[in-house]
Amino acid sequence: ADPGALQIDGDQQLDGPTDALQMHTDVVLLRPPHRAAIQATAALQGSHLAIPSLQIDSGRTDADARGTLEGSAELDWADGWRWQLDAQAQQLDPALGWPDWAGSLSAQVHSQGRWKDDRTEGRLQVRELHGQVRDSAMAGEVELHWQARDQAQLSAALNVGGGRLRGDLSLADELQGEWRLQDWDLAALPIPDMPMQGRIEAHLGVSGSVAAPRLDIDAKARDLAVSGLSAKSLKAQGRLGWGGDAPLRFDVSGSELSLAGQALTALALQVDGQWSAQQWQARLQTAQGELTAQAHGGGDGSDWSGTLDRLQVSSVNPRWASWNLRQAVDVQMGDSTRIAPFCIDNGAEARLCA
């Protein structure tokens, strides 16, 4: 359902000369049934802004539940940019900003840093996160620390319901990182306009560089439902990179699937090579028969051209026999798709051409 537009009502009071302003904010945010009252005081002295008091009281118009956020902040731009932020949330409901994430969360937030010319360093910490989102308990912490534009570390530990996320990522001369999902429920933290269901176990490894990253994947999903795809089980392994000579290797298999309304007994897809040149093999099984295909080609991520080397369609009904591609077919895919003329036959008198 459409949560409706966010409504804002309140006033802002200013007092003093432009280089020594005293400010007071009293604002109410409303997206029924969620509301939040924001009060803040601030002082502007030249190139320094101090917010000694920030308080947010949130709740619902149809319930007594109440959450708070209290904090303070400073910002200085006399010599580059410098900032510091400290805040503590208690039973705060994120649904005002993210309607699909109704709940009650508590956490401590700290950030400080500076930015001058092309030099920067800073830290963002979310500690003692706990509470619930929707019907799932949540707990964890996140920390991001950077020493330069191209040097940073990210770490996270998050429990949502019975699922766990653990990981770290380091950016320096090279990328290094490892992330694990254990019994992760896709419905626990919904993405707007993308309904998902199922549980995932996954191990992700990150390597390479910012210009040429590499991602190693080993994932399993069960009872999966995403957009037009559903599967009783689905497995994926492989290595993905970016760039013409980057690796493109993966192996996907699944059972009891439905794709765009078509029921599949099993699916197997293998790709081996690089973005610029790879080999493809696919097999689809249904209650009526089986389709197998082999192809080779390459592209740049937006366009692909290659050759369909083999295509066979067989039926469980012996009257339909097996249909095969008579010869290799050139294929181009991108802004438009082009397939060269082709024929398939059943080895006897029947033939279909397009």
Side-chain angles (χ1 to χ4, degrees):
D2 185 355
L6 182 64
Q7 304 172 34
I8 304 176
D9 188 22
D11 59 69
Q12 171 79 56
Q13 298 179 6
L14 303 176
D15 185 26
T18 56
D19 60 348
L21 278 176
Q22 299 292 320
M23 294 173 280
H24 179 75
T25 300
D26 193 346
V27 173
V28 174
L29 306 181
L30 180 65
R31 180 184 275 134
H34 306 284
R35 69 181 302 277
I38 303 176
Q39 292 186 330
T41 59
L44 176 64
Q45 296 283 341
S47 56
H48 183 83
L49 175 66
I51 305 176
S53 175
L54 169 65
Q55 181 166 330
I56 300 176
D57 291 310
S58 71
R60 295 172 59 101
T61 57
D62 58 354
D64 294 332
R66 178 177 177 269
T68 63
L69 184 144
E70 297 181 349
S72 62
E74 292 188 35
L75 178 64
D76 189 286
W77 55 94
D79 184 23
W81 294 88
R82 295 177 181 269
W83 72 89
Q84 180 165 325
L85 167 69
D86 289 283
Q88 181 163 342
Q90 292 289 342
Q91 300 179 347
L92 200 65
D93 188 349
L96 183 65
W98 299 275
D100 291 331
W101 286 30
S104 174
L105 294 176
S106 300
Q108 295 181 0
V109 180
H110 170 76
S111 179
Q112 67 180 60
R114 63 184 182 90
W115 185 298
K116 182 179 180 181
D117 299 327
D118 289 334
R119 301 188 303 275
T120 181
E121 64 175 341
R123 183 186 300 272
L124 171 63
Q125 297 171 317
V126 180
R127 297 281 181 85
E128 299 183 20
L129 173 65
H130 63 278
Q132 70 174 32
V133 172
R134 293 163 64 93
D135 296 324
S136 299
M138 175 183 286
E141 59 183 32
V142 178
E143 182 166 349
L144 172 64
H145 183 208
W146 66 97
Q147 301 83 26
R149 294 179 62 182
D150 57 356
Q151 188 175 356
Q153 298 83 38
L154 170 66
S155 63
L158 190 63
N159 294 349
V160 180
R164 298 198 302 168
L165 167 67
R166 298 288 187 274
D168 60 78
L169 178 64
S170 176
L171 168 62
D173 295 333
E174 296 183 350
L175 285 172
Q176 290 184 338
E178 186 175 11
W179 294 80
R180 291 184 181 274
L181 284 171
Q182 295 178 298
D183 197 26
W184 191 263
D185 184 357
L186 291 174
L189 296 179
I191 300 175
D193 302 320
M194 187 181 291
M196 295 185 292
Q197 291 183 342
R199 292 187 175 272
I200 288 182
E201 302 272 346
H203 177 215
L204 306 178
V206 182
S207 59
S209 65
V210 174
R214 302 287 187 268
L215 181 63
D216 290 286
I217 303 171
D218 186 356
K220 300 177 182 179
R222 64 182 189 274
D223 301 323
L224 182 67
V226 180
S227 298
L229 170 67
S230 65
K232 182 66 175 178
S233 67
L234 193 66
K235 300 178 182 180
Q237 292 179 312
R239 165 171 279 201
L240 306 178
W242 279 258
D245 295 329
L248 180 63
R249 300 192 298 270
F250 57 86
D251 188 340
V252 179
S253 62
S255 64
E256 298 184 38
L257 303 102
S258 177
L259 181 61
Q262 177 63 52
L264 304 176
T265 307
L267 173 148
L269 176 63
Q270 293 179 324
V271 180
D272 188 16
Q274 303 169 330
W275 281 98
S276 57
Q278 69 271 167
Q279 300 284 333
W280 291 71
Q281 296 186 55
R283 179 173 60 88
L284 304 178
Q285 287 183 324
T286 72
Q288 291 75 39
E290 180 178 276
L291 180 149
T292 59
Q294 293 181 355
H296 72 276
D300 60 4
S302 59
D303 296 289
W304 188 91
S305 62
T307 302
L308 179 60
D309 301 302
R310 178 176 177 268
L311 177 67
Q312 182 180 63
V313 181
S314 58
S315 173
V316 294
N317 187 339
R319 295 179 57 188
W320 290 97
S322 177
W323 292 74
N324 296 273
L325 191 67
R326 288 181 59 87
Q327 61 186 23
V329 179
D330 292 334
V331 179
Q332 291 184 340
M333 292 185 292
D335 294 335
S336 62
T337 298
R338 297 180 181 179
I339 303 176
F342 66 93
C343 294
I344 60 174
D345 63 38
N346 67 354
E349 298 299 327
R351 177 186 300 178
L352 294 175
C353 296

